[in-house]
Amino acid sequence: MSRNIGAIIVDTERCKGCGLCVEACPKGILTLATKKVNKKGYPYAVQTDEQQKCNGCASCGIVCPDGCISVYRVKEE
Amino acid sequence: MKTLQDILQPQNLVYTKPTLMNDRPMHYCPGCSHGMVHKMVAEIIEEMNLTDHTIGICPVGCAVFAYNYLDIDWIEAAHGRAPACASAVSRMWPGHLVFTYQGDGDFACIGTGESIHAMNRGENITIIFINNAIYGMTGGQMAPTTLMGMKTSTCPYGRRADLHGFPLKMTEIAATLEGTCYVTRQSVHNVAAIQRAKKAIRKAFTNSLEKRGTSLVEIVSTCNAGWKLSPVEANRWMEQHMFPFYPLGDLKDTTEQQ
């Protein structure tokens, strides 16, 4: 069975750590960085996807107010 | 098993910031709805291939620096006068898409006269009205659209009818005017709502280009800094308190009949 696998790149310097992507992710694999901040002092969004749960649905990218998230998706046979 | 490097290839890119939106960091507070609407407008203009034929009119309010973020032509209007300015631009340049981007202070308070008369004349413009029920830029004062009982810095015990009057539903007023062709109320609190709002703005832009009259798209949005909530809590508060008073959906759509 084929399935989609996704991955994201977060523009960490642009991210303001609002947490809307964390809420929007249906797989619950996004978190805000702990004890790490960008140059402006915001804890940025990070994806912790060890089991490749991300299917590249782009919900995180769509809700991001600052457009910091780029979403990539491939089909695995 | 694909490795991360296999996935992160340019041909696999499915979503990114629209190219019309430049890299300048936006001044909005974290989680502000303005960012979503800016992005949406940029995406629609790009998809409709109107980059060189669009003129936006900036308001006074939080979105005053909108011209810094989207690489289209902009005019900065005096406070509340964006619809008057847009009327002039759309008459001078009939082939262009002209839209205003206004907040509740600009559209529903100081610019009520200009807004109502521009819509009543049926100018071929689109008005994007961001309603967050507060004056965000100046520090969270009461706006005409503030809900009853809602606490702001100028009504710290909650809005009272005897002292402050009642909230103004500008979109309902607009729906009664002859000049408007499409009046809708949308929100951007989740993915589905963002997609519906995007569709509404696209329809409004099409109406303006096809000269059907004024289109008004109200976006019920959050001001988490002004409401003193986190962005996620602000979205929940909006769903619980704003949506019952400002119900989402189309209020008027004459484009189907034409």
Side-chain angles (χ1 to χ4, degrees), chain A residues 5 7 14 16 18-20 23 40 42 52 58-59 61-67 70-74 76, chain B residues 1-2 7-9 12-17 23-26 28 30-32 35-36 39 231-232 235-236:
Chain A
I5 314 177
R14 201 177 159 88
K16 292 176 184 163
C18 67
L20 289 178
E23 185 78 4
K40 288 189 187 137
Y42 292 122
Q52 285 201 334
S59 296
I62 292 168
V63 299
C64 178
D66 292 274
S70 301
V71 184
Y72 295 80
R73 181 168 63 210
V74 283
E76 194 183 50
Chain B
M1 200 80 171
K2 301 248 185 213
I7 303 170
L8 298 175
Q9 295 295 325
N12 299 333
L13 185 69
V14 286
Y15 188 88
T16 190
K17 183 166 72 70
D23 288 332
R24 198 169 291 159
M26 292 202 274
Y28 301 117
C32 179
M36 265 92 98
K39 213 167 63 167
V232 175
N235 271 340
R236 288 206 190 104

mmCIF file of all heavy atoms in Angstrom, chain A residues 5 7 14 16 18-20 23 40 42 52 58-59 61-67 70-74 76, chain B residues 1-2 7-9 12-17 23-26 28 30-32 35-36 39 231-232 235-236:
data_model
loop_
_atom_site.group_PDB
_atom_site.id
_atom_site.type_symbol
_atom_site.label_atom_id
_atom_site.label_comp_id
_atom_site.label_asym_id
_atom_site.label_seq_id
_atom_site.Cartn_x
_atom_site.Cartn_y
_atom_site.Cartn_z
ATOM 1 N N ILE A 5 4.542 10.382 2.643
ATOM 2 C CA ILE A 5 5.454 10.734 3.735
ATOM 3 C C ILE A 5 5.819 12.196 3.563
ATOM 4 O O ILE A 5 6.127 12.645 2.461
ATOM 5 C CB ILE A 5 6.761 9.921 3.717
ATOM 6 C CG1 ILE A 5 6.472 8.446 3.496
ATOM 7 C CG2 ILE A 5 7.510 10.104 5.023
ATOM 8 C CD1 ILE A 5 7.733 7.645 3.394
ATOM 9 N N ALA A 7 7.667 15.931 5.287
ATOM 10 C CA ALA A 7 8.650 16.520 6.194
ATOM 11 C C ALA A 7 8.511 18.027 6.063
ATOM 12 O O ALA A 7 8.013 18.515 5.053
ATOM 13 C CB ALA A 7 10.059 16.079 5.824
ATOM 14 N N ARG A 14 12.327 33.292 11.516
ATOM 15 C CA ARG A 14 11.078 33.999 11.247
ATOM 16 C C ARG A 14 9.984 33.581 12.224
ATOM 17 O O ARG A 14 9.044 34.337 12.476
ATOM 18 C CB ARG A 14 10.660 33.689 9.801
ATOM 19 C CG ARG A 14 9.700 34.670 9.191
ATOM 20 C CD ARG A 14 9.420 34.302 7.746
ATOM 21 N NE ARG A 14 8.178 34.889 7.288
ATOM 22 C CZ ARG A 14 8.067 36.104 6.752
ATOM 23 N NH1 ARG A 14 9.141 36.841 6.575
ATOM 24 N NH2 ARG A 14 6.905 36.577 6.383
ATOM 25 N N LYS A 16 7.691 32.862 15.345
ATOM 26 C CA LYS A 16 7.454 33.632 16.565
ATOM 27 C C LYS A 16 6.942 32.765 17.716
ATOM 28 O O LYS A 16 6.526 33.282 18.748
ATOM 29 C CB LYS A 16 6.446 34.744 16.287
ATOM 30 C CG LYS A 16 6.976 35.834 15.363
ATOM 31 C CD LYS A 16 5.897 36.839 15.069
ATOM 32 C CE LYS A 16 6.355 37.884 14.067
ATOM 33 N NZ LYS A 16 5.212 38.589 13.493
ATOM 34 N N CYS A 18 4.159 30.997 18.142
ATOM 35 C CA CYS A 18 2.763 31.183 18.564
ATOM 36 C C CYS A 18 2.104 29.864 18.931
ATOM 37 O O CYS A 18 1.149 29.839 19.710
ATOM 38 C CB CYS A 18 1.959 31.905 17.479
ATOM 39 S SG CYS A 18 1.731 30.959 15.962
ATOM 40 N N GLY A 19 2.581 28.770 18.366
ATOM 41 C CA GLY A 19 2.044 27.456 18.723
ATOM 42 C C GLY A 19 0.793 27.053 17.960
ATOM 43 O O GLY A 19 0.188 26.039 18.269
ATOM 44 N N LEU A 20 0.397 27.822 16.960
ATOM 45 C CA LEU A 20 -0.804 27.457 16.202
ATOM 46 C C LEU A 20 -0.571 26.194 15.374
ATOM 47 O O LEU A 20 -1.484 25.394 15.186
ATOM 48 C CB LEU A 20 -1.252 28.611 15.290
ATOM 49 C CG LEU A 20 -1.843 29.838 15.974
ATOM 50 C CD1 LEU A 20 -2.202 30.905 14.961
ATOM 51 C CD2 LEU A 20 -3.083 29.479 16.781
ATOM 52 N N GLU A 23 -1.017 23.076 17.474
ATOM 53 C CA GLU A 23 -2.435 22.776 17.650
ATOM 54 C C GLU A 23 -3.034 22.181 16.367
ATOM 55 O O GLU A 23 -3.884 21.305 16.424
ATOM 56 C CB GLU A 23 -3.155 24.085 18.008
ATOM 57 C CG GLU A 23 -4.610 23.940 18.343
ATOM 58 C CD GLU A 23 -4.861 23.405 19.741
ATOM 59 O OE1 GLU A 23 -3.879 23.208 20.487
ATOM 60 O OE2 GLU A 23 -6.028 23.179 20.067
ATOM 61 N N LYS A 40 15.361 36.459 18.246
ATOM 62 C CA LYS A 40 14.403 37.386 18.847
ATOM 63 C C LYS A 40 13.911 36.893 20.205
ATOM 64 O O LYS A 40 13.138 37.578 20.863
ATOM 65 C CB LYS A 40 13.214 37.569 17.913
ATOM 66 C CG LYS A 40 13.544 38.381 16.704
ATOM 67 C CD LYS A 40 12.299 38.698 15.941
ATOM 68 C CE LYS A 40 12.660 39.361 14.641
ATOM 69 N NZ LYS A 40 11.871 38.851 13.554
ATOM 70 N N TYR A 42 12.184 33.936 20.670
ATOM 71 C CA TYR A 42 10.978 33.100 20.594
ATOM 72 C C TYR A 42 11.365 31.620 20.530
ATOM 73 O O TYR A 42 12.282 31.257 19.794
ATOM 74 C CB TYR A 42 10.181 33.429 19.336
ATOM 75 C CG TYR A 42 9.549 34.798 19.315
ATOM 76 C CD1 TYR A 42 9.843 35.701 18.295
ATOM 77 C CD2 TYR A 42 8.636 35.178 20.289
ATOM 78 C CE1 TYR A 42 9.246 36.944 18.251
ATOM 79 C CE2 TYR A 42 8.032 36.422 20.247
ATOM 80 C CZ TYR A 42 8.342 37.311 19.227
ATOM 81 O OH TYR A 42 7.742 38.532 19.184
ATOM 82 N N GLN A 52 8.239 8.612 11.289
ATOM 83 C CA GLN A 52 7.746 9.103 9.996
ATOM 84 C C GLN A 52 6.216 9.132 9.944
ATOM 85 O O GLN A 52 5.592 8.561 9.068
ATOM 86 C CB GLN A 52 8.317 8.263 8.840
ATOM 87 C CG GLN A 52 9.761 8.603 8.574
ATOM 88 C CD GLN A 52 10.210 8.215 7.177
ATOM 89 O OE1 GLN A 52 9.676 7.309 6.567
ATOM 90 N NE2 GLN A 52 11.217 8.905 6.677
ATOM 91 N N ALA A 58 0.172 19.555 5.242
ATOM 92 C CA ALA A 58 0.395 21.006 5.143
ATOM 93 C C ALA A 58 -0.511 21.841 6.038
ATOM 94 O O ALA A 58 -0.583 23.053 5.880
ATOM 95 C CB ALA A 58 0.310 21.499 3.702
ATOM 96 N N SER A 59 -1.195 21.208 7.002
ATOM 97 C CA SER A 59 -2.016 21.984 7.946
ATOM 98 C C SER A 59 -1.171 23.010 8.700
ATOM 99 O O SER A 59 -1.598 24.152 8.887
ATOM 100 C CB SER A 59 -2.669 21.059 8.976
ATOM 101 O OG SER A 59 -3.549 20.188 8.354
ATOM 102 N N GLY A 61 1.573 24.446 7.766
ATOM 103 C CA GLY A 61 1.957 25.545 6.881
ATOM 104 C C GLY A 61 0.813 26.506 6.633
ATOM 105 O O GLY A 61 0.992 27.722 6.607
ATOM 106 N N ILE A 62 -0.400 25.948 6.470
ATOM 107 C CA ILE A 62 -1.557 26.786 6.159
ATOM 108 C C ILE A 62 -1.907 27.693 7.334
ATOM 109 O O ILE A 62 -2.220 28.862 7.149
ATOM 110 C CB ILE A 62 -2.760 25.894 5.739
ATOM 111 C CG1 ILE A 62 -2.460 25.227 4.401
ATOM 112 C CG2 ILE A 62 -4.046 26.702 5.637
ATOM 113 C CD1 ILE A 62 -3.405 24.115 4.019
ATOM 114 N N VAL A 63 -1.838 27.177 8.569
ATOM 115 C CA VAL A 63 -2.229 28.017 9.703
ATOM 116 C C VAL A 63 -1.119 28.948 10.173
ATOM 117 O O VAL A 63 -1.379 29.858 10.943
ATOM 118 C CB VAL A 63 -2.722 27.195 10.923
ATOM 119 C CG1 VAL A 63 -3.943 26.383 10.577
ATOM 120 C CG2 VAL A 63 -1.641 26.335 11.504
ATOM 121 N N CYS A 64 0.110 28.747 9.702
ATOM 122 C CA CYS A 64 1.206 29.586 10.192
ATOM 123 C C CYS A 64 1.004 31.037 9.742
ATOM 124 O O CYS A 64 0.983 31.323 8.551
ATOM 125 C CB CYS A 64 2.545 29.066 9.679
ATOM 126 S SG CYS A 64 3.917 30.100 10.207
ATOM 127 N N PRO A 65 0.841 31.969 10.686
ATOM 128 C CA PRO A 65 0.577 33.355 10.294
ATOM 129 C C PRO A 65 1.779 34.023 9.630
ATOM 130 O O PRO A 65 1.616 34.993 8.908
ATOM 131 C CB PRO A 65 0.251 34.058 11.612
ATOM 132 C CG PRO A 65 0.165 33.013 12.644
ATOM 133 C CD PRO A 65 0.876 31.820 12.140
ATOM 134 N N ASP A 66 2.964 33.522 9.887
ATOM 135 C CA ASP A 66 4.149 34.180 9.362
ATOM 136 C C ASP A 66 4.753 33.459 8.162
ATOM 137 O O ASP A 66 5.783 33.888 7.645
ATOM 138 C CB ASP A 66 5.187 34.319 10.474
ATOM 139 C CG ASP A 66 4.718 35.299 11.522
ATOM 140 O OD1 ASP A 66 4.937 36.496 11.349
ATOM 141 O OD2 ASP A 66 4.081 34.879 12.496
ATOM 142 N N GLY A 67 4.129 32.381 7.750
ATOM 143 C CA GLY A 67 4.618 31.649 6.580
ATOM 144 C C GLY A 67 6.012 31.094 6.769
ATOM 145 O O GLY A 67 6.856 31.200 5.895
ATOM 146 N N SER A 70 7.680 25.301 5.349
ATOM 147 C CA SER A 70 7.625 24.725 4.002
ATOM 148 C C SER A 70 7.389 23.238 4.164
ATOM 149 O O SER A 70 8.051 22.588 4.983
ATOM 150 C CB SER A 70 8.944 24.949 3.257
ATOM 151 O OG SER A 70 9.195 26.325 3.175
ATOM 152 N N VAL A 71 6.443 22.709 3.389
ATOM 153 C CA VAL A 71 6.064 21.303 3.539
ATOM 154 C C VAL A 71 6.478 20.530 2.292
ATOM 155 O O VAL A 71 6.257 20.992 1.168
ATOM 156 C CB VAL A 71 4.539 21.167 3.773
ATOM 157 C CG1 VAL A 71 4.159 19.723 4.026
ATOM 158 C CG2 VAL A 71 4.082 22.048 4.910
ATOM 159 N N TYR A 72 7.077 19.361 2.480
ATOM 160 C CA TYR A 72 7.496 18.481 1.384
ATOM 161 C C TYR A 72 6.751 17.158 1.528
ATOM 162 O O TYR A 72 6.502 16.710 2.636
ATOM 163 C CB TYR A 72 9.013 18.231 1.459
ATOM 164 C CG TYR A 72 9.847 19.470 1.225
ATOM 165 C CD1 TYR A 72 10.040 20.396 2.237
ATOM 166 C CD2 TYR A 72 10.439 19.703 -0.016
ATOM 167 C CE1 TYR A 72 10.780 21.550 2.021
ATOM 168 C CE2 TYR A 72 11.196 20.844 -0.241
ATOM 169 C CZ TYR A 72 11.358 21.758 0.776
ATOM 170 O OH TYR A 72 12.101 22.887 0.563
ATOM 171 N N ARG A 73 6.439 16.547 0.383
ATOM 172 C CA ARG A 73 5.680 15.287 0.445
ATOM 173 C C ARG A 73 6.113 14.378 -0.691
ATOM 174 O O ARG A 73 6.297 14.802 -1.818
ATOM 175 C CB ARG A 73 4.196 15.591 0.336
ATOM 176 C CG ARG A 73 3.298 14.374 0.409
ATOM 177 C CD ARG A 73 1.843 14.768 0.595
ATOM 178 N NE ARG A 73 1.343 15.526 -0.523
ATOM 179 C CZ ARG A 73 0.380 16.460 -0.428
ATOM 180 N NH1 ARG A 73 -0.151 16.760 0.728
ATOM 181 N NH2 ARG A 73 -0.029 17.084 -1.503
ATOM 182 N N VAL A 74 6.310 13.091 -0.357
ATOM 183 C CA VAL A 74 6.582 12.077 -1.386
ATOM 184 C C VAL A 74 5.670 10.886 -1.170
ATOM 185 O O VAL A 74 5.177 10.655 -0.068
ATOM 186 C CB VAL A 74 8.042 11.566 -1.374
ATOM 187 C CG1 VAL A 74 8.981 12.552 -1.989
ATOM 188 C CG2 VAL A 74 8.481 11.157 -0.005
ATOM 189 N N GLU A 76 5.327 6.915 -0.984
ATOM 190 C CA GLU A 76 6.139 5.715 -0.834
ATOM 191 C C GLU A 76 5.323 4.515 -1.260
ATOM 192 O O GLU A 76 4.202 4.308 -0.778
ATOM 193 C CB GLU A 76 6.586 5.549 0.619
ATOM 194 C CG GLU A 76 7.680 4.539 0.778
ATOM 195 C CD GLU A 76 8.052 4.336 2.235
ATOM 196 O OE1 GLU A 76 7.146 4.127 3.047
ATOM 197 O OE2 GLU A 76 9.231 4.403 2.566
ATOM 198 N N MET B 1 12.232 2.692 3.149
ATOM 199 C CA MET B 1 12.200 3.855 4.060
ATOM 200 C C MET B 1 12.953 5.027 3.427
ATOM 201 O O MET B 1 14.104 4.875 3.045
ATOM 202 C CB MET B 1 12.860 3.429 5.383
ATOM 203 C CG MET B 1 12.529 4.283 6.567
ATOM 204 S SD MET B 1 10.919 3.859 7.246
ATOM 205 C CE MET B 1 10.971 4.833 8.736
ATOM 206 N N LYS B 2 12.257 6.125 3.271
ATOM 207 C CA LYS B 2 12.894 7.312 2.685
ATOM 208 C C LYS B 2 13.633 8.076 3.779
ATOM 209 O O LYS B 2 13.137 8.209 4.888
ATOM 210 C CB LYS B 2 11.834 8.229 2.085
ATOM 211 C CG LYS B 2 11.012 7.550 1.016
ATOM 212 C CD LYS B 2 11.291 8.136 -0.335
ATOM 213 C CE LYS B 2 10.366 7.520 -1.348
ATOM 214 N NZ LYS B 2 10.949 7.390 -2.656
ATOM 215 N N ILE B 7 13.202 13.241 1.032
ATOM 216 C CA ILE B 7 11.922 13.966 1.066
ATOM 217 C C ILE B 7 12.134 15.452 0.791
ATOM 218 O O ILE B 7 11.375 16.068 0.053
ATOM 219 C CB ILE B 7 11.230 13.755 2.442
ATOM 220 C CG1 ILE B 7 11.030 12.264 2.732
ATOM 221 C CG2 ILE B 7 9.886 14.458 2.475
ATOM 222 C CD1 ILE B 7 10.578 11.956 4.126
ATOM 223 N N LEU B 8 13.172 16.007 1.372
ATOM 224 C CA LEU B 8 13.382 17.460 1.262
ATOM 225 C C LEU B 8 14.049 17.832 -0.062
ATOM 226 O O LEU B 8 15.126 18.417 -0.090
ATOM 227 C CB LEU B 8 14.212 17.964 2.447
ATOM 228 C CG LEU B 8 13.592 17.773 3.827
ATOM 229 C CD1 LEU B 8 14.563 18.207 4.905
ATOM 230 C CD2 LEU B 8 12.293 18.532 3.967
ATOM 231 N N GLN B 9 13.415 17.473 -1.144
ATOM 232 C CA GLN B 9 13.895 17.836 -2.476
ATOM 233 C C GLN B 9 12.957 18.877 -3.069
ATOM 234 O O GLN B 9 11.757 18.844 -2.801
ATOM 235 C CB GLN B 9 13.929 16.601 -3.383
ATOM 236 C CG GLN B 9 14.922 15.536 -2.966
ATOM 237 C CD GLN B 9 16.363 15.994 -3.047
ATOM 238 O OE1 GLN B 9 16.731 16.755 -3.937
ATOM 239 N NE2 GLN B 9 17.172 15.555 -2.096
ATOM 240 N N ASN B 12 9.524 17.936 -4.393
ATOM 241 C CA ASN B 12 8.519 17.421 -3.461
ATOM 242 C C ASN B 12 7.825 18.518 -2.666
ATOM 243 O O ASN B 12 6.986 18.232 -1.810
ATOM 244 C CB ASN B 12 9.166 16.442 -2.472
ATOM 245 C CG ASN B 12 9.775 15.247 -3.166
ATOM 246 O OD1 ASN B 12 9.322 14.887 -4.248
ATOM 247 N ND2 ASN B 12 10.774 14.655 -2.572
ATOM 248 N N LEU B 13 8.179 19.758 -2.934
ATOM 249 C CA LEU B 13 7.606 20.870 -2.173
ATOM 250 C C LEU B 13 6.101 20.995 -2.446
ATOM 251 O O LEU B 13 5.687 21.092 -3.595
ATOM 252 C CB LEU B 13 8.323 22.165 -2.577
ATOM 253 C CG LEU B 13 7.947 23.427 -1.799
ATOM 254 C CD1 LEU B 13 8.431 23.345 -0.370
ATOM 255 C CD2 LEU B 13 8.535 24.659 -2.460
ATOM 256 N N VAL B 14 5.287 20.962 -1.402
ATOM 257 C CA VAL B 14 3.836 21.088 -1.615
ATOM 258 C C VAL B 14 3.273 22.371 -1.019
ATOM 259 O O VAL B 14 2.214 22.825 -1.415
ATOM 260 C CB VAL B 14 3.053 19.878 -1.053
ATOM 261 C CG1 VAL B 14 3.234 18.676 -1.931
ATOM 262 C CG2 VAL B 14 3.413 19.578 0.383
ATOM 263 N N TYR B 15 3.947 22.932 -0.068
ATOM 264 C CA TYR B 15 3.423 24.178 0.502
ATOM 265 C C TYR B 15 4.569 25.043 1.006
ATOM 266 O O TYR B 15 5.453 24.559 1.707
ATOM 267 C CB TYR B 15 2.459 23.894 1.673
ATOM 268 C CG TYR B 15 1.776 25.165 2.139
ATOM 269 C CD1 TYR B 15 0.597 25.587 1.539
ATOM 270 C CD2 TYR B 15 2.350 25.973 3.116
ATOM 271 C CE1 TYR B 15 -0.001 26.772 1.903
ATOM 272 C CE2 TYR B 15 1.759 27.162 3.490
ATOM 273 C CZ TYR B 15 0.589 27.556 2.883
ATOM 274 O OH TYR B 15 -0.002 28.744 3.240
ATOM 275 N N THR B 16 4.552 26.307 0.632
ATOM 276 C CA THR B 16 5.528 27.239 1.179
ATOM 277 C C THR B 16 4.933 28.639 1.141
ATOM 278 O O THR B 16 3.855 28.850 0.605
ATOM 279 C CB THR B 16 6.870 27.153 0.419
ATOM 280 O OG1 THR B 16 7.847 27.898 1.138
ATOM 281 C CG2 THR B 16 6.755 27.708 -1.000
ATOM 282 N N LYS B 17 5.642 29.564 1.737
ATOM 283 C CA LYS B 17 5.210 30.960 1.755
ATOM 284 C C LYS B 17 5.069 31.468 0.320
ATOM 285 O O LYS B 17 5.937 31.224 -0.500
ATOM 286 C CB LYS B 17 6.291 31.746 2.504
ATOM 287 C CG LYS B 17 6.044 33.206 2.706
ATOM 288 C CD LYS B 17 7.003 33.746 3.739
ATOM 289 C CE LYS B 17 8.446 33.855 3.248
ATOM 290 N NZ LYS B 17 8.672 34.894 2.258
ATOM 291 N N ASP B 23 10.520 38.569 2.485
ATOM 292 C CA ASP B 23 11.146 37.949 3.652
ATOM 293 C C ASP B 23 11.211 38.856 4.877
ATOM 294 O O ASP B 23 11.743 38.475 5.911
ATOM 295 C CB ASP B 23 12.564 37.484 3.297
ATOM 296 C CG ASP B 23 12.537 36.270 2.396
ATOM 297 O OD1 ASP B 23 11.540 35.523 2.491
ATOM 298 O OD2 ASP B 23 13.478 36.080 1.612
ATOM 299 N N ARG B 24 10.696 40.066 4.732
ATOM 300 C CA ARG B 24 10.741 40.989 5.863
ATOM 301 C C ARG B 24 9.906 40.423 7.022
ATOM 302 O O ARG B 24 8.764 40.043 6.814
ATOM 303 C CB ARG B 24 10.168 42.333 5.420
ATOM 304 C CG ARG B 24 10.518 43.480 6.315
ATOM 305 C CD ARG B 24 10.141 44.767 5.642
ATOM 306 N NE ARG B 24 10.979 45.052 4.487
ATOM 307 C CZ ARG B 24 10.623 45.877 3.502
ATOM 308 N NH1 ARG B 24 9.475 46.476 3.514
ATOM 309 N NH2 ARG B 24 11.446 46.111 2.509
ATOM 310 N N PRO B 25 10.448 40.346 8.237
ATOM 311 C CA PRO B 25 9.642 39.790 9.332
ATOM 312 C C PRO B 25 8.457 40.694 9.644
ATOM 313 O O PRO B 25 8.599 41.917 9.699
ATOM 314 C CB PRO B 25 10.610 39.738 10.520
ATOM 315 C CG PRO B 25 11.913 40.216 10.040
ATOM 316 C CD PRO B 25 11.786 40.755 8.662
ATOM 317 N N MET B 26 7.283 40.106 9.833
ATOM 318 C CA MET B 26 6.086 40.916 10.065
ATOM 319 C C MET B 26 6.067 41.423 11.508
ATOM 320 O O MET B 26 6.513 40.740 12.426
ATOM 321 C CB MET B 26 4.852 40.080 9.769
ATOM 322 C CG MET B 26 4.733 39.763 8.302
ATOM 323 S SD MET B 26 3.084 39.357 7.809
ATOM 324 C CE MET B 26 3.058 37.638 8.162
ATOM 325 N N TYR B 28 3.523 41.887 13.346
ATOM 326 C CA TYR B 28 2.368 41.433 14.124
ATOM 327 C C TYR B 28 2.797 40.563 15.310
ATOM 328 O O TYR B 28 3.846 39.939 15.288
ATOM 329 C CB TYR B 28 1.407 40.644 13.222
ATOM 330 C CG TYR B 28 0.907 41.453 12.054
ATOM 331 C CD1 TYR B 28 1.197 41.082 10.753
ATOM 332 C CD2 TYR B 28 0.170 42.604 12.262
ATOM 333 C CE1 TYR B 28 0.758 41.835 9.685
ATOM 334 C CE2 TYR B 28 -0.271 43.362 11.196
ATOM 335 C CZ TYR B 28 0.023 42.981 9.915
ATOM 336 O OH TYR B 28 -0.400 43.730 8.859
ATOM 337 N N PRO B 30 2.848 37.379 17.859
ATOM 338 C CA PRO B 30 2.801 35.956 17.534
ATOM 339 C C PRO B 30 1.356 35.454 17.506
ATOM 340 O O PRO B 30 0.586 35.723 18.416
ATOM 341 C CB PRO B 30 3.575 35.301 18.680
ATOM 342 C CG PRO B 30 4.450 36.370 19.213
ATOM 343 C CD PRO B 30 3.734 37.663 18.988
ATOM 344 N N GLY B 31 0.985 34.753 16.437
ATOM 345 C CA GLY B 31 -0.349 34.162 16.346
ATOM 346 C C GLY B 31 -1.424 35.092 15.840
ATOM 347 O O GLY B 31 -2.591 34.727 15.844
ATOM 348 N N CYS B 32 -1.060 36.284 15.386
ATOM 349 C CA CYS B 32 -2.066 37.246 14.923
ATOM 350 C C CYS B 32 -2.706 36.777 13.621
ATOM 351 O O CYS B 32 -2.024 36.294 12.722
ATOM 352 C CB CYS B 32 -1.409 38.605 14.709
ATOM 353 S SG CYS B 32 -2.566 39.844 14.119
ATOM 354 N N GLY B 35 -1.549 37.798 9.762
ATOM 355 C CA GLY B 35 -0.569 37.044 8.989
ATOM 356 C C GLY B 35 -1.230 36.075 8.041
ATOM 357 O O GLY B 35 -0.886 35.999 6.860
ATOM 358 N N MET B 36 -2.240 35.343 8.555
ATOM 359 C CA MET B 36 -2.960 34.367 7.739
ATOM 360 C C MET B 36 -3.642 35.065 6.572
ATOM 361 O O MET B 36 -3.610 34.577 5.442
ATOM 362 C CB MET B 36 -4.038 33.667 8.572
ATOM 363 C CG MET B 36 -3.625 32.356 9.167
ATOM 364 S SD MET B 36 -2.979 32.571 10.798
ATOM 365 C CE MET B 36 -4.335 32.203 11.840
ATOM 366 N N LYS B 39 -1.212 36.279 3.930
ATOM 367 C CA LYS B 39 -0.716 35.143 3.157
ATOM 368 C C LYS B 39 -1.758 34.704 2.136
ATOM 369 O O LYS B 39 -1.436 34.435 0.975
ATOM 370 C CB LYS B 39 -0.399 34.007 4.137
ATOM 371 C CG LYS B 39 0.742 33.145 3.721
ATOM 372 C CD LYS B 39 1.200 32.263 4.862
ATOM 373 C CE LYS B 39 0.119 31.306 5.284
ATOM 374 N NZ LYS B 39 0.585 30.245 6.172
ATOM 375 N N PRO B 231 -2.315 32.487 21.750
ATOM 376 C CA PRO B 231 -2.949 32.377 20.426
ATOM 377 C C PRO B 231 -3.958 31.240 20.340
ATOM 378 O O PRO B 231 -5.029 31.395 19.751
ATOM 379 C CB PRO B 231 -1.766 32.135 19.494
ATOM 380 C CG PRO B 231 -0.607 32.757 20.177
ATOM 381 C CD PRO B 231 -0.846 32.592 21.641
ATOM 382 N N VAL B 232 -3.634 30.095 20.946
ATOM 383 C CA VAL B 232 -4.546 28.947 20.853
ATOM 384 C C VAL B 232 -5.802 29.205 21.686
ATOM 385 O O VAL B 232 -6.929 28.952 21.242
ATOM 386 C CB VAL B 232 -3.812 27.668 21.317
ATOM 387 C CG1 VAL B 232 -4.763 26.483 21.348
ATOM 388 C CG2 VAL B 232 -2.643 27.373 20.389
ATOM 389 N N ASN B 235 -8.150 31.597 19.914
ATOM 390 C CA ASN B 235 -8.991 30.952 18.906
ATOM 391 C C ASN B 235 -10.201 30.291 19.542
ATOM 392 O O ASN B 235 -11.305 30.355 19.018
ATOM 393 C CB ASN B 235 -8.184 29.898 18.139
ATOM 394 C CG ASN B 235 -7.480 30.488 16.934
ATOM 395 O OD1 ASN B 235 -7.853 31.550 16.448
ATOM 396 N ND2 ASN B 235 -6.464 29.804 16.462
ATOM 397 N N ARG B 236 -9.993 29.650 20.708
ATOM 398 C CA ARG B 236 -11.113 28.986 21.394
ATOM 399 C C ARG B 236 -12.104 30.028 21.901
ATOM 400 O O ARG B 236 -13.315 29.858 21.791
ATOM 401 C CB ARG B 236 -10.584 28.169 22.586
ATOM 402 C CG ARG B 236 -9.864 26.977 22.104
ATOM 403 C CD ARG B 236 -9.859 25.841 23.107
ATOM 404 N NE ARG B 236 -8.935 24.842 22.604
ATOM 405 C CZ ARG B 236 -7.720 24.657 23.095
ATOM 406 N NH1 ARG B 236 -7.305 25.328 24.136
ATOM 407 N NH2 ARG B 236 -6.926 23.762 22.557
#
